[in-house]
Amino acid sequence: YVTPEQFGAIGDGVTDDSEAFRQAIETEKPIVCTYGKKYNCITEIVTEKTTINIIGNRCMLKNFNLKINVNSGETSWINAYPVPNSTIQDVNFNGTDKPEYCIKTGIPIKFLNCKWDFYDIMVKNYGSYMDYIVFENCAFKNHSGTHYAIDLAYLGDQHVFRECDFGGTGENRKFVSFSGCQSATIINCLFAGDHIIYSSNVVFIGCHMEGVSSITVGGDKTWNTILHFIDCYFWDMYTLSLAESSSFFDSCTFYISHQCIVGGRDYTSYNQKNCKILCATTSGPNSYVNLDDLVNRKEFPERTELSNRCVYQSSKGAVAQ
């Protein structure tokens, strides 16, 4: 392995350490950073290498912006599609001075135990069929830009998010955009931000959706989009705006003010089973109504709040309270 210090890095949060990191990356050896240091990389780092391994040891990479194996037009990779053997782990990426992006990649990367703050574009992939962008135990915070923070805009398969946290206090919570992805999987993640899915197949397993945010199917190719929610929890004003034929809900829970807009009907979907709506009360435990029963009876409830209680109504009157 090599260290940034071998190439002149200081890590004081002020000195520009960009050139030291560029030289370290060019070796294609694992780069081991020093715990607690703040490496300020204010100059764009561009590399054609196809193996990047950074072991951060909880360091901060401040204003880091790295372009990996991406051609000058930013439309595809330069070198042939590499095998997925690159890992960046235990790094706090901090865009305090608001560089345009953090990482633009033309290689598959696994991000492990990383955190991003104050970036417009946190990670963006390039090149047709760029597969295997993986995020595990990562946090995406304080996004205040105009683009989606994680933009998987090119065709690709098997992107994975596992135990990640999408949230923060930024002005714009547009966190994830999937476009043309096949079988992207999101497992046990917390979402407090918007994401858009265009012509993609995405599976959500055990995720918690909260806040005044939404999932939206973009464009006009909803026929080619399949979303499958398994054992997910929707809370507060989280809204699903989906095509009725492309969304599936299995064993999901919807909490009072959640809006599930599917085919124009609130709280309903023909493609669901074993789901329930929780209704908070002040005098006892939560009560619930099973969506299966409502669909089977063709009763599509609309929520009405009465004081501290909520009543779900259908054409036959109140069905739960």
Side-chain angles (χ1 to χ4, degrees), residues 131-284:
D131 304 331
Y132 307 117
I133 307 296
V134 177
F135 300 86
E136 289 194 13
N137 196 29
C138 292
F140 311 95
K141 300 289 185 177
N142 301 312
H143 177 240
S144 58
T146 58
H147 299 88
Y148 276 89
I150 308 297
D151 190 356
L152 302 178
Y154 285 82
L155 296 175
D157 301 332
Q158 305 305 328
H159 300 311
V160 176
F161 293 81
R162 181 181 289 110
E163 297 180 358
C164 294
D165 183 358
F166 301 81
T169 58
E171 299 172 0
N172 191 333
R173 292 187 172 187
K174 293 167 59 176
F175 279 107
V176 185
S177 175
F178 294 101
S179 180
C181 301
Q182 299 301 309
S183 301
T185 307
I186 304 175
I187 306 169
N188 295 340
C189 292
L190 171 63
F191 280 93
D194 298 342
H195 43 304
I196 186 170
I197 300 168
Y198 175 79
S199 191
S200 304
N201 298 330
V202 182
V203 179
F204 297 83
I205 303 173
C207 293
H208 185 119
M209 319 292 190
E210 67 176 32
V212 185
S213 306
S214 66
I215 301 173
T216 304
V217 175
D220 57 0
K221 292 187 178 180
T222 55
W223 56 268
N224 199 29
T225 302
I226 298 176
L227 306 184
H228 197 167
F229 299 88
I230 303 172
D231 196 26
C232 292
Y233 185 85
F234 299 89
W235 182 79
D236 202 4
M237 290 298 291
Y238 209 101
T239 301
L240 302 178
S241 299
L242 308 169
E244 188 171 273
S245 60
S246 64
S247 57
F248 299 83
F249 301 87
D250 188 347
S251 302
C252 294
T253 300
F254 305 91
Y255 190 70
I256 50 174
S257 57
H258 164 74
Q259 300 177 63
C260 177
I261 302 174
V262 182
R265 298 189 179 95
D266 197 16
Y267 290 108
T268 63
S269 168
Y270 291 119
N271 304 319
Q272 63 79 34
K273 61 180 180 179
N274 302 322
C275 295
K276 61 184 178 182
I277 304 170
L278 292 176
C279 180
T281 67
T282 57
S283 59

Side-chain angles (χ1 to χ4, degrees), residues 284-305:
N286 291 334
S287 60
Y288 68 90
V289 58
N290 192 294
L291 286 181
D292 286 332
D293 295 337
L294 301 179
V295 172
N296 291 338
R297 297 198 303 266
K298 300 187 183 303
E299 296 173 347
F300 305 107
E302 295 181 358
R303 178 180 57 80
T304 302
E305 293 187 10

Side-chain angles (χ1 to χ4, degrees), residues 8-18 38-42:
I10 303 301
D12 59 2
V14 178
T15 305
D16 187 1
D17 293 326
S18 306
K38 297 180 181 179
Y39 300 96
N40 189 25
C41 299
I42 60 176

